[in-house]
Amino acid sequence: MKSIFITVEGPIGVGKTSLSKAISKQWGLELLEEIVYENPFLDKFYENISEWSFQTEMFFLCNRYKQLQDIAKRLHNGYSVVADYNIFKNTIFAKRTLSEDNLPKYQQIYGILTSDIPQANLVIYLKASVETAMQRIALRGRGMEQMIERSYMENLISDYEEFMHQFQLMHPTIPVLTIECDQLDYVHQPEDLDYVIKRVAQFLPNNLTKQR
């Protein structure tokens, strides 16, 4: 069976990692989690976005590129993978945070690094309102995230919406499963998780069996 690559995307706090872990468990896919809190610039970024955005975004880009290089080898060897991010998120954040001077430089580097990395066979897009995202960020209590301002989340969610619309126009062969998360709590409600898993299953091969 041909390997598949699933990516889960959406704004901060919407539940990407939780869903990715559930998908990994359901079908025995290898799990790829993004490196977030090892970023040495992240605390400073939330304190002063304009000052630390370039360093922060470059760290994320280089680490995600290295991860996807490793995943490409796994996919080539027949293993299927689910990731709690898609590298295209870098462009969403970069356009919001980088200065007019730094953005073109960053986009050029991004284009070079991502020209030959594996593309997802399925993108799962988790949508949530600003209220839901802010509530879930507060509930999970990660210190640096408590500095996120509502206006930043409003802009980020708007940026995601615009990007995903353009992504589907530019990549019509890559299926996108959009899941509205405001009324779902698949972390704490098993019936909500069952609903989401059934929706994901509609996009996967019938003969997809557990790898482990």
Side-chain angles (χ1 to χ4, degrees):
M1 184 189 69
K2 183 180 179 181
S3 61
I4 61 170
F5 183 32
I6 302 170
T7 62
V8 182
E9 258 304 338
I12 300 167
V14 77
K16 299 182 291 293
T17 302
S18 295
L19 181 56
S20 298
K21 288 180 177 179
I23 293 171
S24 172
K25 181 179 179 181
Q26 177 71 23
W27 284 283
L29 277 59
E30 293 196 11
L31 175 65
L32 172 63
E33 295 183 67
E34 67 174 328
I35 299 170
V36 177
Y37 298 103
E38 293 179 19
N39 190 328
F41 305 106
L42 201 56
D43 278 328
K44 296 175 181 178
F45 170 79
Y46 284 129
E47 292 173 1
N48 190 331
I49 293 175
S50 61
E51 179 70 21
W52 293 99
S53 58
F54 189 77
Q55 297 92 325
T56 301
E57 299 301 342
M58 284 303 303
F59 181 93
F60 279 137
L61 177 58
C62 291
N63 275 274
R64 290 166 184 161
Y65 169 70
K66 178 60 171 65
Q67 284 185 310
L68 290 172
Q69 277 188 314
D70 296 337
I71 287 301
K73 299 174 184 176
R74 302 298 289 164
L75 293 169
H76 180 74
N77 290 329
Y79 291 89
S80 293
V81 179
V82 56
D84 66 354
Y85 72 94
N86 191 303
I87 199 167
F88 66 48
K89 77 184 304 171
N90 288 59
T91 64
I92 299 174
F93 282 83
K95 287 181 180 178
R96 173 59 55 183
T97 62
L98 294 182
S99 68
E100 293 182 0
D101 291 335
N102 284 330
L103 181 59
K105 302 172 188 176
Y106 179 88
Q107 290 174 323
Q108 185 177 13
I109 298 169
Y110 174 89
I112 293 170
L113 291 181
T114 61
S115 61
D116 59 353
I117 62 172
Q119 292 291 322
N121 302 109
L122 170 65
V123 175
I124 301 173
Y125 172 41
L126 304 180
K127 291 181 61 173
S129 65
V130 176
E131 288 74 17
T132 296
M134 295 299 289
Q135 287 171 4
R136 292 182 182 177
I137 287 171
L139 282 174
R140 68 186 187 182
R142 295 176 180 172
M144 65 183 68
E145 289 182 352
Q146 305 311 306
M147 294 183 282
I148 297 176
E149 297 179 355
R150 181 184 177 88
S151 59
Y152 178 81
M153 282 303 302
E154 289 174 345
N155 289 329
L156 181 60
I157 288 173
S158 176
D159 291 343
Y160 260 100
E161 281 289 283
E162 180 181 352
F163 179 88
M164 292 307 302
H165 175 70
Q166 294 298 323
F167 179 84
Q168 292 178 83
L169 293 177
M170 295 176 63
H171 303 279
T173 63
I174 300 178
V176 175
L177 168 59
T178 300
I179 297 175
E180 302 278 353
C181 294
D182 284 350
Q183 304 303 319
L184 295 174
D185 184 2
Y186 46 77
V187 176
H188 302 103
Q189 302 296 332
E191 62 272 20
D192 287 350
L193 179 58
D194 288 343
Y195 166 77
V196 174
I197 289 295
K198 288 176 181 177
R199 291 200 62 193
V200 174
Q202 296 173 352
F203 289 81
L204 302 182
N206 292 328
N207 63 342
L208 182 62
T209 56
K210 287 194 174 184
Q211 297 175 163
R212 59 182 185 275

